[in-house]
Structures are given as C-alpha cells and as structure tokens.
C-alpha cells in the first residue's frame, strides 16, 4: 500500500471513531477512494461489490449522474438556509412528492436530520397529541422486543432492552413497555396467539400508552426477521380499539426495499405517524422525515402549542434536492421489477446455504437476503473472508445479510451470494 494511504489509516486508527467500535483498538477498516454503481474502489486499487447499500441507503447505487446533477445544481442557488420563518422550493417539491406516495392519511411532513431524530419527533408528536386532550398520563410507549429505532435517548428507550445494544444505559432511559417480538414469519400460517400478549398489554395499560412503535414487517438491526402482515394488521386494529396511536418506523423499509414502496402496504394499513430516512436521499445526504395525519396536527394545534422541535439543518436544501431527484429516479425506473428480480435470485442462490452446518436459517424478502448462523462467528475473520472475495458485506452478530442497490446486475449479485456461501463454510 502507498505511503499516503498508510498515513491516512494511521490517523484513522488513532483518532477517528467508527460506529459501535472499540475506542482504542478498533477492528481494521478499508480505505475507500471512490464508489460508482455497485462498486467501491479501495486505495490499493481493489474493487468490492457492494452488498450493503451503505446500510439500506444507496438504492440507486453510487455516483449516480442524476443525483450528482441535482446536488451540484442546488449548490448554485443555496446550500442551506434556516427553516424558521423561511421556506424554499426544494423542500416544497419534496413534500409534494412524499405526499403522493406515502400511505393514505399522512398529510404533515417534518423534515429532520437523521432517522433517530425522526423517531424523537414521532415520540413528541404522540405525547403532545394526548397532552392536548388533557390525557397527560398517556406518555408511555409499547415497543416490540428485537426492535431497533435508533441511537438517541428517546429512540434507544424503544429498542429491545437486550439486543438493542443499549442495555448499558438502561438506568438512564425512560422505561417503556415491551411486547414479545412477532414469531409468525412473513409467509407462514397466521396464528392470532402471536398477538395475544400485546393485546393483553393494551387492555391493562391503555390509559398510560401514547403509541405502539414498530418496524413494519421487517425487524432490522434486532434480528432481520420478516413477520406476518397479519400481525401488523392486527396491531392496527388493536390501536383503534384501545385509543392508542401507531407509529411505523419505515426508516429501513421505506422506498421499495421489501417489495412494496412502504412495508405497511403489505398489510394494507396506514400508521398515524411514520418515520422515514435511510434511502430518502438515495444514500447521498443525511435526512429523514416524520409524517403524521391531519387529525394529529389539528389536535396538537388545538392546545395552542407548536410541535416542539426544530433542528438547525431542518429541510436542508441540498438534501431535499437530492431526495427529490432520488424519488424521480425511483419512480421513473421499474423498481418493483428490479426488487422482485433480486428477490428471486436471492432465493435461488442463498437457499443452498441451508445445507451448511454453520447455518441456522436463510430468509429472503424483497431485495434483502439473510443467512443466520448457528453461533456468533469471529467477526474480523468472517469479515476478511468476505472482503477477500471482492465483496463488501458487513455481518452483524450471527447475521450475514445483504440489501444491495436495486440496480445490481445478476452477475454482481451472484458474486455476493457465492461469497456468502463460501464464507459460511
Ligand atoms: C437506521 C435506523 C434508525 C436510525 O436511523 P439513523 O439515521 O441511523 O439515526 C431508526 N430506525 C430504524 C428501523 C433503522 O433501521
């Protein structure tokens, strides 16, 4: 490797912190110099095929001409202006596009900085909704075990207390109520017993519960499990029955990943509040949004109080412009055909992994493929086995999973699946 690269990696090792990584002796990292389509180019000239879409975000691949253009065009008029007392066309255009494609009933859009922040905003909306009606005791949330909703304190309080990576902060977090994780798989025969404990919990606690928060259909970071749409439908009914709001965290699932534009569509339901993020800007900029119904907005407004949130970089025009372009690219492509093509190929090529002794199960939904191992592997060793085969796949605990850009070619996808097979042997 070149001297310059070694020096960069040296500074990185000694001073830069990475996600969920030891502060003094971090695991090795790869030095990326550019990315294009589904390929990452490393400083030493190697090329890796990307299986991660940079954590669900880069759905159109990297260095996309239309997204690049939108971003550079926007820099020529303005990179940013405050959103208090000012507005701009990029935000308004994006808002219109979102309203056209989100589940029915969602009418108000709060544009914020990141997924975790959008979850914080959803918590405030739900609490303020009940507060406005004098129901000040309705301020607790029911979340699901194995759920993941982000890394800020409000969002952390909703993550699974054990698998949520945050048990260390348990004493500091607002205590919430946790219902068992869904167990009936996406394609399996529905069993109403799967929702019984949640139903019981609502009977007992509805006076103090503001909302149920869940990741629709796909529990992501908490285990990559795909659950029955009937579960989600039943939760919607329970929320109506018990006067509790439903918050759908579509941050990972939004924008087509599960085969539907939003995972809620699998159950034909609309949430009262929805969080989106990750793929919103096609992986270009950090931006997320919290959407809610007209009824929630009216009710909060009737209290005379504003919604109590307003980040410095709210509705950043660069992010809005690139998000707009990303939605245009999505809707002008046959994304559904792409996602189902990927789903078909993942099923075909990952199924043989079931035969491997180290593998516990294989699951595929939309453009997501998951191989769950029997036991937790040596992370660094598994990581290097994958990288050596020219692919970028980042295993998490017992899970080796991919969610590639929708534009991935069949040949590139085969490289990812065969690398997984070889690495799990
Ligand atoms: C990634 C994620 C978040 C957090 O989003 P950040 O942008 O990382 O803050 C929240 N909920 C779900 C379901 C996610 O996948």
């Amino acid at each position: 490797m070149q001297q310059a690269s070694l020096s960069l990696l040296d500074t990185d090792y000694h001073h830069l912190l990475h996600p969920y990584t030891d502060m003094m002796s971090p695991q090795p990292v790869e030095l990326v110099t550019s990315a294009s389509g589904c390929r990452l180019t490393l400083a030493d000239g190697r090329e890796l095929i990307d299986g991660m879409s940079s954590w669900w975000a880069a759905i159109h691949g990297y260095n996309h001409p239309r997204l690049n253009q939108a971003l550079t065009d926007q820099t020529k008029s303005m990179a940013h202006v405050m959103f208090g007392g000012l507005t701009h066309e990029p935000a308004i255009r994006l808002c219109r596009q979102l309203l056209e494609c989100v589940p029915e009933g969602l009418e108000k859009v709060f544009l914020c900085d990141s997924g975790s922040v959008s979850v914080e905003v959803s918590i405030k909306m739900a609490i303020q909704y009940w507060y406005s009606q004098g129901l000040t005791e309705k301020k607790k949330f029911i979340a699901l075990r194995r759920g993941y909703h982000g890394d800020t304190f409000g969002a952390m309080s909703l993550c699974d207390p054990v698998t949520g990576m945050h048990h260390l902060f348990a004493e500091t977090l607002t205590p919430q109520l946790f219902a068992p994780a869904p167990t009936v798989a996406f394609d399996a025969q529905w069993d109403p017993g799967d929702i019984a404990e949640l139903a019981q919990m609502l009977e007992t606690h509805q006076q103090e519960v503001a909302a149920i928060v869940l990741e629709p259909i796909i529990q992501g970071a908490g285990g990559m499990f795909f659950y029955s749409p009937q579960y989600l439908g039943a939760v919607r009914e329970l929320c109506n029955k018990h006067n509790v709001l439903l918050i759908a965290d579509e941050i990972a699932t939004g924008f087509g990943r599960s085969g539907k534009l939003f995972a809620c569509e699998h159950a034909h339901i609309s949430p009262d509040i929805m969080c989106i993020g990750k793929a919103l800007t096609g992986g270009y900029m950090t931006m997320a949004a919290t959407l809610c119904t007209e009824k929630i907005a009216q009710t909060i407004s009737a209290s005379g109080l504003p919604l109590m949130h307003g980040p410095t970089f709210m509705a950043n025009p660069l992010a809005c412009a690139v998000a707009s372009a990303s939605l245009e690219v999505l809707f002008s492509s046959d994304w559904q055909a792409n996602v189902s093509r990927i789903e078909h190929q993942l099923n075909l090529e990952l199924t043989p992994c079931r035969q491997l002794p180290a593998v516990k199960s294989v699951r595929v939904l939309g453009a997501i493929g998951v191989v769950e191992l029997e036991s937790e592997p040596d992370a660094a060793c598994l990581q290097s086995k994958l990288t050596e085969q020219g692919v970028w796949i980042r295993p998490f605990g017992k899970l080796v999973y991919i969610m590639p850009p929708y534009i991935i070619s069949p040949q590139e996808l085969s490289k990812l699946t065969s690398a997984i097979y070889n690495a799990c042997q």
Side-chain angles (χ1 to χ4, degrees):
M1 204 182 293
Q2 305 240 310
Q3 196 56 41
S5 297
L6 288 172
S7 149
L8 289 171
L9 284 171
D10 187 63
T11 304
D12 182 282
Y13 185 88
H14 288 106
H15 300 287
L16 258 183
L17 305 176
H18 286 263
Y20 289 94
T21 297
D22 190 286
M23 292 178 79
M24 289 309 290
S25 45
Q27 278 182 11
V29 289
E30 303 290 349
L31 183 59
V32 187
T33 50
S34 67
S36 197
C38 291
R39 286 157 195 263
L40 311 177
T41 303
L42 306 184
D44 58 12
R46 277 180 298 150
E47 241 186 25
L48 302 179
I49 295 172
D50 175 46
M52 305 306 287
S53 299
S54 286
W55 280 333
W56 313 85
I59 52 176
H60 310 301
Y62 302 89
N63 197 18
H64 194 286
R66 282 181 61 188
L67 273 56
N68 290 355
Q69 190 68 49
L71 196 54
T72 49
D73 285 352
Q74 185 55 41
T75 56
K76 288 169 198 149
S77 47
M78 63 188 158
H80 185 66
V81 289
M82 63 188 280
F83 212 52
L86 300 175
T87 193
H88 45 79
E89 191 177 332
I92 297 164
R93 198 165 1 109
L94 175 61
C95 170
R96 285 186 181 151
Q97 286 169 298
L98 287 173
L99 293 181
E100 257 179 47
C101 71
V102 294
E104 212 184 318
L106 298 167
E107 300 284 351
K108 300 283 185 184
V109 182
F110 189 101
L111 295 169
C112 51
D113 337 42
S114 74
S116 301
V117 173
S118 79
V119 172
E120 300 292 328
V121 173
S122 75
I123 293 173
K124 290 185 182 179
M125 281 177 178
I127 291 175
Q128 285 193 239
Y129 175 77
W130 298 113
Y131 178 93
S132 285
Q133 301 170 68
L135 298 170
T136 48
E137 71 283 18
K138 274 172 89 72
K139 55 179 191 279
K140 271 211 184 312
F141 292 81
I142 295 180
L144 305 185
R145 293 204 177 263
R146 291 213 298 253
Y148 176 75
H149 299 286
D151 288 353
T152 52
F153 271 77
M156 269 200 293
S157 77
L158 304 170
C159 295
D160 184 294
V162 182
T163 68
M165 311 183 269
H166 305 132
H167 41 275
L168 170 68
F169 306 107
E171 302 286 310
T172 323
L173 291 172
T174 313
Q176 311 287 14
L177 297 161
F178 288 92
T183 60
V184 177
F186 186 80
D187 290 323
Q189 170 74 36
W190 170 240
D191 166 14
D194 211 29
I195 198 105
E197 208 170 318
L198 176 58
Q200 187 54 50
M201 201 174 252
L202 279 165
E203 289 283 349
T204 317
H205 295 283
Q206 74 171 66
Q207 305 303 336
E208 48 177 323
V209 173
I212 296 181
V213 185
L214 49 72
E215 297 153 278
I217 307 299
I218 299 171
Q219 290 202 288
M224 298 295 289
F225 180 68
F226 312 138
Y227 65 86
S228 170
Q230 304 238 38
Y231 181 96
L232 185 55
V235 172
R236 178 67 274 184
E237 280 172 25
L238 285 171
C239 285
N240 295 347
K241 180 174 164 204
H242 292 282
N243 216 19
V244 159
L245 298 174
L246 176 59
I247 301 176
D249 177 349
E250 291 256 12
I251 292 166
T253 45
F255 307 106
R257 182 57 67 178
S258 73
K260 302 281 186 192
L261 193 60
F262 295 99
C264 282
E265 294 172 22
H266 288 287
H268 312 286
I269 61 126
S270 282
D272 303 294
I273 300 173
M274 183 167 91
C275 300
I276 52 177
K278 289 201 161 99
L280 176 58
T281 65
Y284 268 56
M285 315 277 294
T286 174
M287 191 166 73
T290 315
L291 296 94
C292 74
T293 60
E294 187 81 15
K295 184 180 171 197
I296 291 181
Q298 269 172 5
T299 308
I300 293 175
S301 170
S303 72
L305 289 175
L307 177 66
M308 297 295 197
H309 210 88
T312 306
F313 286 97
M314 184 164 183
N316 173 253
L318 292 174
C320 288
V322 80
S324 252
S326 174
L327 290 176
E328 276 169 21
V329 169
L330 186 66
F331 294 130
S332 64
S333 70
D334 197 349
W335 64 268
Q336 271 170 307
N338 265 335
V339 170
S340 58
R341 165 185 68 84
I342 294 170
E343 180 173 41
H344 180 76
Q345 194 179 340
L346 286 173
N347 267 315
L348 210 67
E349 295 179 357
L350 287 180
T351 302
C353 294
R354 288 210 175 104
Q355 262 68 62
L356 301 172
V359 171
K360 186 171 172 203
S361 70
V362 173
R363 307 187 277 277
V364 172
L365 182 67
I368 312 165
V370 184
V371 174
E372 183 171 346
L373 302 176
E374 290 282 359
S375 59
E376 196 147 328
D378 177 317
C381 170
L382 181 58
Q383 181 74 77
S384 65
K385 271 194 204 166
L386 288 161
T387 314
E388 276 161 19
Q389 297 179 78
V391 298
W392 179 241
I393 298 172
R394 181 124 180 106
F396 178 71
K398 291 183 203 171
L399 303 168
V400 187
Y401 62 103
I402 50 175
M403 55 287 199
Y406 303 164
I407 56 151
I408 194 165
S409 72
Q411 296 74 20
E412 289 169 326
L413 188 52
S414 287
K415 276 205 81 169
L416 292 174
T417 54
S418 57
I420 292 177
Y421 184 90
N422 296 335
C424 294
Q425 272 187 324

